[in-house]
Amino acid sequence: MAAAIKKVGVIGSGQMGNGIAHVCALGGFDVVLNDVSADRLKAAMATINGNLSRQIAKKIITEDTRKQALARITATETLEGLADCDLVIETAVEKEDVKRKIFHELCATLKPEAIVASNTSSISITRLAASTDRPERFIGIHFMNPVPVMELVELIRGIATDDATFETAKAFVTKLGKQIAVSEDFPAFIVNRILLPMINEAIYTLYEGVGNVEAIDMAMKLGAHHPMGPLELADFIGLDTCLSIMQVLHEGLADSKYRPCPLLVKYVEAGWLGRKTHRGFYDYRGDKPVPTR
Ligand code: NAD
């Protein structure tokens, strides 16, 4: 039977964390948002406020709804601050060692009946679950970016995830107004298993000189009716996240077709991670994005 979720913890207040906090607060849940960086927490609260305002302008929500949603969100720099949450969603950086350390510290104070979820884009849910004290109450809840706009959430059961946890997660996601695609626990799940090799191939197309940034993005927007070009989308996702997902696919499926493009590696090494660092396949520091190749 599904458990009642009232209070949701969100670990990591980056682009996904602030979006998840946003939709949870609008869904009527109390939210505790955590980050190691006080500056990131402050920025996240400002982003949530700005995105709620945008929804008012589009007449999706009212001013009253915004006030109520903001009042439901509190911020904390410690994992102890999440101890009484019914569900905690981890959405820190896509690095397995960071996530494992978070789960280790979190489980030491989190109430035993609480469910723990990860928003990982690619890492094995079974393996992450095994690093906690509650593999049966661990699940993958994978939101899409930008969270307030995208309709889909993937649910991924680890080998030990019990039926009650799955049913609770389903009810929670439904209450957020999102559609669910259930994926088996294999590297990168469904959406990113298909999407990331396409993005990686677009980067190879650039690397091999088949087309420049502008040509590649225009080709896929006008030639395949994609709303965003693959390189623009890579910048939007974050090039570090794209590289991590390709590495998980490459290692997890042991197939050379998933080899991350050396040019993607180079951009990440330069710290050109896309929109979030204002430079990636495009330079966002001026009025208009300018291709960097
Ligand atoms: P991001 O870089 O925008 O944010 C990560 C945040 O985690 C930062 O604010 C950082 O300070 C914080 N953080 C790092 N270590 C922490 C710790 N120990 N405790 C608490 N906070 C910590 O990254 P993002 O794009 O929001 O991605 C977060 C997760 O969501 C990743 O696992 C990623 O794979 C997944 N995801 C990303 C997308 C996407 O399109 N970007 C989509 C779906 C899922």
Side-chain angles (χ1 to χ4, degrees):
M1 214 181 74
I5 302 291
K6 288 204 174 80
K7 194 168 186 179
V8 180
V10 179
I11 302 176
S13 69
Q15 50 181 351
M16 294 306 289
N18 75 57
I20 295 169
H22 175 139
V23 297
C24 288
L26 278 185
F29 298 99
D30 292 328
V31 180
V32 189
L33 184 57
N34 161 269
D35 205 290
V36 280
S37 150
D39 286 349
R40 293 300 293 257
L41 278 172
K42 225 168 122 191
M45 292 306 291
T47 302
I48 294 169
N49 196 10
N51 288 342
L52 286 167
S53 298
R54 213 178 310 165
Q55 287 181 311
I56 295 174
K58 288 186 179 160
K59 300 203 185 322
I60 298 169
I61 62 166
T62 64
E63 177 58 34
D64 262 4
T65 315
R66 173 173 72 151
K67 280 199 192 125
Q68 287 162 13
L70 284 175
R72 285 192 198 106
I73 307 174
T74 53
T76 175
E77 281 173 67
T78 68
L79 292 178
E80 288 89 43
L82 308 179
D84 65 344
C85 288
D86 305 303
L87 165 69
V88 175
I89 304 169
E90 171 281 319
T91 184
V93 284
E94 187 73 347
K95 294 209 170 95
E96 190 164 340
D97 55 337
V98 175
K99 293 189 188 295
R100 281 173 173 269
K101 193 160 171 280
I102 289 173
F103 293 133
H104 185 72
E105 282 174 31
L106 172 74
C107 290
T109 55
L110 181 64
K111 63 181 182 183
E113 66 273 27
I115 292 175
V116 178
S118 177
N119 181 45
T120 176
S121 302
S122 57
I123 301 169
S124 161
I125 296 301
T126 298
R127 213 162 58 229
L128 290 176
S131 74
T132 73
D133 59 356
R134 62 194 82 194
E136 66 287 353
R137 282 190 302 291
F138 191 98
I139 190 160
I141 304 182
H142 182 220
F143 290 85
M144 307 293 134
N145 187 17
V147 183
V149 176
M150 301 296 276
E151 301 91 344
L152 189 81
V153 170
E154 287 181 322
L155 281 186
I156 308 104
R157 295 178 78 147
I159 204 165
T161 309
D162 65 23
D163 290 344
T165 300
F166 182 63
E167 291 305 324
T168 303
K170 253 168 79 177
F172 165 72
V173 172
T174 304
K175 202 164 167 214
L176 299 180
K178 306 286 186 198
Q179 303 286 320
I180 295 168
V182 177
S183 168
E184 288 298 320
D185 186 21
F186 287 103
F189 319 127
I190 297 173
V191 173
N192 286 331
R193 169 80 177 260
I194 300 168
L195 185 63
L196 262 295
M198 191 273 290
I199 288 175
N200 196 47
E201 198 60 30
I203 303 170
Y204 269 113
T205 310
L206 178 67
Y207 178 63
E208 290 170 10
V210 182
N212 63 19
V213 168
E214 223 165 358
I216 292 166
D217 276 351
M218 188 172 90
M220 292 308 284
K221 277 197 284 196
L222 303 185
H225 259 208
H226 287 194
M228 280 173 116
L231 301 171
E232 199 185 348
L233 180 57
D235 276 358
F236 186 69
I237 294 169
L239 301 189
D240 52 341
T241 300
C242 291
L243 177 59
S244 298
I245 297 170
M246 287 312 299
Q247 283 165 338
V248 168
L249 280 168
H250 194 217
E251 283 160 24
L253 298 168
D255 189 328
S256 63
K257 75 178 177 183
Y258 298 113
R259 188 169 74 101
C261 179
L263 187 60
L264 173 61
V265 177
K266 191 179 282 194
Y267 269 74
V268 173
E269 283 172 350
W272 292 16
L273 307 181
R275 275 178 185 266
K276 62 185 170 188
T277 58
H278 312 293
R279 225 175 338 178
F281 292 111
Y282 293 85
D283 187 333
Y284 300 92
R285 292 172 299 171
D287 295 340
K288 258 178 51 190
V290 180
T292 54
R293 284 182 105 75

